[in-house]
Amino acid sequence: MPLWDPVFINPITNALIILNNIVLGNFGVAIILFTLLMRLLTMPLTARQIRASRAMSTLQPKIQELQKKYKDPKRRQEETMKLYREAGANPLGCILPMLVQFPIWISLYSALRITVGGTPESFIGLSQRLYPWGYIEQALPLKTTFLWMNLGQPDTTLILAFIVFASTYVQQRLATPPTTDPRTQSTNQMMLWMMPLMFAFFTLQVPSGLGVYWAVSNIVGVIMYYFIYGPEQLNWRTILMPPSAAPAGQQASRRGGQSPKEKESAEEPVEAALPTGGRNKKRSNHARSRGKRKDRR
Amino acid sequence: MTPSPKPIHQASQGELSNIASTRRNTIRREKLLGSLSLLLLVLATLRLATACAGIARPEGWAGPTLAGDRLVASIGRGEMAAVDIEDSGGRVVWRFPLKGQKHPSGSKILPVAIYSTPQVAAETVFFGAYDGWLYALDLATGDIRWQAETGGPIVGSAVVQDGVVYVGSDDGKLYAFDAETGSLRWLFKSGDSIWSIPLAADGVIYVAPMDKKVYALDAASGAEKWRFQADGGLASTPVLADGTLLVGGIDRRLYALDAASGAEKWHFKADNWFWTRPLVLGDSVYAGCLDGKVYALALNDGSPKWEKPFDTGAPVRAAPLLLDDVLLVANRKGKLFGLDPETGQAIWGPTELLRTVLADPLAQGDMAYVSVQGGKLFTVNKDGSTALLVLTELGG
């Protein structure tokens, strides 16, 4: 793609080097700063994705009812779409923001590979991507050591791989919407472990600069969930327990979804039913006692 | 009489159990298939992403060297070889490393990228490798005479003069080894990686590291004589002509310095980095640039000699070369051009090798050897005709 490089990869590559100069030549700190900036820029999209995912999860009981009620797949599909329309939810709402962020992620991976490649060949490649500004050229060659890592080489100590695994797991756990469908549950359960394992494996294969990006990006993601869902979600029980097959209402409540009062108003558009921080606080006691009752059982 | 209604079939307990069991199995099978599909998808993504985002692998760009009728060149990734040149090809006399060859520490010598063009002196081949080792091999047999380790990958070639081998390393140090024994005579520490080839002339060693400085050192002791501060890192090999030291940098400048004092005479700014060794012919300097152009400048003041620089269309890393009266230029995409050195007009070209060319070519009369990435060698005549050098193993 002729436009991909000048529109995405080259600006990101140059931005990384400018940040490196700003933080006095520490490329590791430049990557962290860049990750924070990117997360900040894409925050509206991420927040929208989280909310859309949550809106979908609140509709789960009704969808299940429709599945029971209509055996004809075509009719079932029509009714499901009607439900989405009435509730103001959009199934693509979860995917579209993620798709929009993909080019940024892919470009960042490429930019990091180019800037910290470390080989003479990759250095020649870098020469073709830099803007003709003395401020940028003065930074070269970049110092690629950061903490115990060479950012241009994979981290063989397994420390970074573990951090990436743990942070991906926590973020994945918080991002997985509750469901009552056994097949979806099984898929979610598999993805919950597969994704962290996959990224940990990547970290052992790619320049550790990418691993630093993943780890920081995940940690920022978890913090965002904290502010969107509220503090109840970030307890060890929620993070470590596998997503259960509890009834949807209960699940939604456990995940900071709907309280019974909100369930009653589920007929209203979902956006309107989304809890605010205050609602979360009110709901938390109810959800906690319900969780305790479940434990006792 | 009305016909009696057909009795409804009552399923037995066993039948119900069978139906339930079949249903459970179907669900289990569907779940398993779903999980397997997901696993396959994840594995495919994993493979694709690893291929896309893997670490950059050093390939090496060592050029060839002639020693009598023997061509010493890197003919594969991490392999150095001596080739007896024949009419239509070459017969490989030896290869290095051989299986089982070891470092003094006992670890195996593995084939790694070689950027260092081999230098031959006193029947010995000297070259550095990306594993940080400098090797001295017997020219006749390829046996190791000695090997010495530096603190980082070696990218620039070694230079041999007056029984001393000088080589720079990525650890920022310039090493001076005894050519006979490999013992360290002295070392000089610069501020950053040394990727360029040091220049030895008149008892002085000139070295251009990435720390944005050019150093002149005493060849006997390594003591600093002078230093010049550039605006960017330096990766090109210095060249000395009529008391003028020419060196290019990644600040897009080609510097001309007074070799005695280090004072700047002039500099020429291009659109990208200078990483090639400039060629000096009479009062003209020919320098390839990573902006894809070849510049002809006056040695005394750096003014352009051609109406406009010659644009090859891709970065030029390989040094320009004179074949009789034709200036041979090769760009990274493997396009070769024969230029008129006076006017900068193309006499022929492009001739395409269809392989990446980063190594400096080697002239032999009106023919040149060009080494391409991947280790193959081509011969190029002054009329632009090329041929692949077909290699056969000794006894093959």
Side-chain angles (χ1 to χ4, degrees):
Chain A
M1 283 183 284
L3 278 178
W4 185 262
D5 285 14
V7 172
F8 289 104
I9 298 179
N10 297 355
I12 290 178
T13 303
N14 285 277
L16 273 170
I17 295 174
I18 290 169
L19 284 174
N20 173 78
N21 283 0
I22 291 169
V23 297
L24 306 174
N26 190 327
F27 199 62
V29 178
I31 291 174
I32 292 172
L33 199 60
F34 186 85
T35 314
L36 294 176
L37 283 172
M38 292 312 291
R39 291 295 293 207
L40 196 70
L41 281 175
T42 56
M43 191 182 272
L45 290 173
T46 314
R48 204 172 150 188
Q49 182 191 338
I50 293 169
R51 291 204 177 94
S53 159
R54 214 157 141 207
M56 292 296 290
S57 74
T58 56
L59 291 177
Q60 280 296 316
K62 293 208 159 202
I63 293 169
Q64 208 179 22
E65 274 172 31
L66 290 177
Q67 280 170 348
K68 280 180 194 160
K69 196 170 170 186
Y70 300 104
K71 297 297 171 198
D72 175 30
K74 200 180 166 191
R75 181 75 198 276
R76 194 164 59 210
Q77 180 71 13
E78 279 170 7
E79 291 298 323
T80 309
M81 291 315 291
K82 195 178 159 191
L83 177 68
Y84 286 149
R85 265 198 308 277
E86 283 170 358
N90 181 3
L92 291 178
C94 308
I95 301 163
L96 275 179
M98 200 188 281
L99 285 180
V100 171
Q101 291 176 67
F102 263 143
I104 297 168
W105 291 341
I106 294 166
S107 309
L108 182 66
Y109 295 163
S110 301
L112 280 174
R113 241 189 111 199
I114 292 160
T115 45
V116 297
T119 66
E121 287 93 344
S122 64
F123 205 55
I124 288 182
L126 179 63
S127 75
Q128 305 301 301
R129 297 178 182 278
L130 298 184
Y131 299 146
W133 303 338
Y135 185 68
I136 288 177
E137 282 157 359
Q138 280 172 13
L140 302 174
L142 298 165
K143 304 279 174 292
T144 53
T145 47
F146 177 60
L147 301 175
W148 68 94
M149 297 168 281
N150 177 352
L151 296 168
Q153 296 294 319
D155 176 37
T156 51
T157 64
L158 301 181
I159 298 171
L160 187 64
F162 176 75
I163 295 170
V164 168
F165 174 84
S167 58
T168 312
Y169 175 85
V170 174
Q171 188 180 240
Q172 182 79 8
R173 178 72 187 83
L174 294 173
T176 307
T179 178
T180 50
D181 180 15
R183 275 184 218 168
T184 316
Q185 271 177 11
S186 152
T187 308
N188 285 352
Q189 185 67 27
M190 190 171 172
M191 290 303 281
L192 188 62
W193 289 102
M194 198 53 81
M195 290 293 282
L197 279 174
M198 194 172 87
F199 275 91
F201 177 75
F202 275 165
T203 310
L204 296 172
Q205 307 285 316
V206 300
S208 48
L210 279 182
V212 171
Y213 164 74
W214 286 329
V216 176
S217 185
N218 288 338
I219 291 165
V220 174
V222 171
I223 294 169
M224 281 178 72
Y225 275 99
Y226 177 87
F227 282 109
I228 291 172
Y229 277 123
E232 301 85 33
Q233 284 306 299
L234 281 178
N235 59 59
W236 291 112
R237 185 186 294 266
T238 314
I239 291 166
L240 294 177
M241 266 178 55
S244 70
Q250 196 172 329
Q251 273 273 11
S253 180
R254 270 188 54 223
R255 299 264 303 114
Q258 286 177 304
S259 65
K261 194 177 175 184
E262 284 166 334
K263 266 196 280 177
E264 282 166 23
S265 62
E267 301 296 326
E268 295 165 19
V270 172
E271 285 295 325
L274 283 177
T276 60
R279 276 181 183 171
N280 262 336
K281 278 175 196 158
K282 277 184 199 169
R283 190 181 55 249
S284 62
N285 287 337
H286 178 81
R288 215 173 289 137
S289 60
R290 193 176 263 202
K292 277 178 190 169
R293 277 204 300 278
K294 190 181 172 218
D295 290 347
R296 276 200 294 275
R297 278 202 294 273
Chain B
M1 254 176 79
T2 53
S4 61
K6 216 175 178 178
I8 296 166
H9 174 71
Q10 293 283 331
S12 68
Q13 195 64 32
E15 279 174 325
L16 280 175
S17 165
N18 276 345
I19 291 166
S21 165
T22 312
R23 190 171 157 71
R24 271 199 304 273
N25 284 341
T26 310
I27 291 171
R28 208 175 292 147
R29 207 179 305 128
E30 278 180 4
K31 263 188 177 180
L32 187 69
L33 275 173
S35 301
L36 275 175
S37 319
L38 191 68
L39 186 67
L40 281 174
L41 184 73
V42 167
L43 285 175
T45 314
L46 196 75
R47 179 75 195 88
L48 186 72
T50 310
C52 292
I55 54 167
R57 194 175 163 210
E59 295 289 330
W61 59 52
T65 298
L66 265 175
D69 58 353
R70 194 161 282 191
L71 190 73
V72 185
S74 176
I75 58 169
R77 188 177 175 274
E79 272 194 310
M80 190 58 75
V83 179
D84 265 343
I85 306 161
E86 296 161 4
D87 290 340
S88 57
R91 191 175 290 269
V92 178
V93 181
W94 53 257
R95 281 175 187 264
F96 174 87
L98 294 171
K99 270 186 185 171
Q101 281 186 307
K102 288 180 178 173
H103 291 301
S105 60
S107 59
K108 278 184 185 171
I109 299 175
L110 298 171
V112 290
I114 301 172
Y115 294 88
S116 175
T117 298
Q119 303 295 308
V120 179
E123 297 298 304
T124 308
V125 179
F126 299 94
F127 71 95
Y130 207 64
D131 60 4
W133 285 84
L134 176 69
Y135 298 98
L137 309 181
D138 187 284
L139 176 63
T141 62
D143 293 339
I144 301 171
R145 287 193 170 170
W146 56 262
Q147 48 183 314
E149 192 176 18
T150 68
I154 296 176
V155 176
S157 308
V159 165
V160 191
Q161 192 164 67
D162 299 331
V164 183
V165 189
Y166 304 95
V167 69
S169 171
D170 195 53
D171 65 357
K173 292 174 186 151
L174 180 74
Y175 295 80
F177 294 105
D178 186 286
E180 189 68 34
T181 63
S183 58
L184 185 68
R185 288 204 177 176
W186 54 260
L187 64 82
F188 172 80
K189 193 171 184 332
S190 74
D192 211 324
S193 308
I194 301 178
W195 283 8
S196 63
I197 306 170
L199 169 71
D202 305 326
V204 181
I205 305 297
Y206 302 95
V207 62
M210 283 290 193
D211 67 353
K212 306 172 189 174
K213 295 181 186 78
V214 181
Y215 298 92
L217 311 173
D218 180 76
S221 64
E224 188 179 320
K225 283 174 172 276
W226 56 257
R227 68 170 68 179
F228 167 77
Q229 179 71 49
D231 281 347
L234 302 161
S236 93
T237 300
V239 168
L240 188 63
D242 287 342
T244 300
L245 190 75
L246 297 156
V247 61
I250 63 173
D251 54 2
R252 300 167 191 250
R253 288 182 173 88
L254 178 70
Y255 292 95
L257 311 177
D258 179 69
S261 65
E264 183 179 326
K265 288 184 173 179
W266 53 263
H267 73 253
F268 174 81
K269 194 164 183 190
D271 293 334
N272 210 314
W273 308 349
F274 280 102
W275 200 331
T276 61
R277 183 177 55 208
L279 172 71
V280 180
L281 296 172
D283 61 352
S284 300
V285 180
Y286 302 95
C289 182
L290 295 187
D291 63 7
K293 297 183 182 116
V294 178
Y295 295 88
L297 309 169
L299 178 61
N300 61 343
D301 62 1
S303 58
K305 296 204 90 175
W306 293 341
E307 201 173 309
K308 59 177 182 179
F310 182 80
D311 194 351
T312 70
V316 180
R317 211 311 296 180
L321 191 71
L322 192 72
L323 291 180
D324 200 1
D325 55 353
V326 175
L327 189 69
L328 176 69
V329 173
N331 71 14
R332 187 171 68 166
K333 286 186 176 169
K335 288 185 179 174
L336 306 176
F337 299 87
L339 308 183
D340 178 348
E342 289 299 317
T343 62
Q345 298 295 311
I347 300 168
W348 53 261
T351 299
E352 300 204 25
L353 296 180
L354 302 174
R355 288 176 176 86
T356 306
V357 176
L358 295 168
D360 293 343
L362 170 75
Q364 189 193 25
D366 57 1
M367 185 191 82
Y369 291 100
V370 177
S371 181
V372 299
Q373 296 297 89
K376 286 193 164 38
L377 283 163
F378 285 85
T379 55
V380 181
N381 293 311
K382 64 174 276 190
D383 61 1
S385 58
T386 62
L388 176 70
L389 192 71
V390 182
L391 301 179
T392 52
E393 296 295 327
L394 192 65

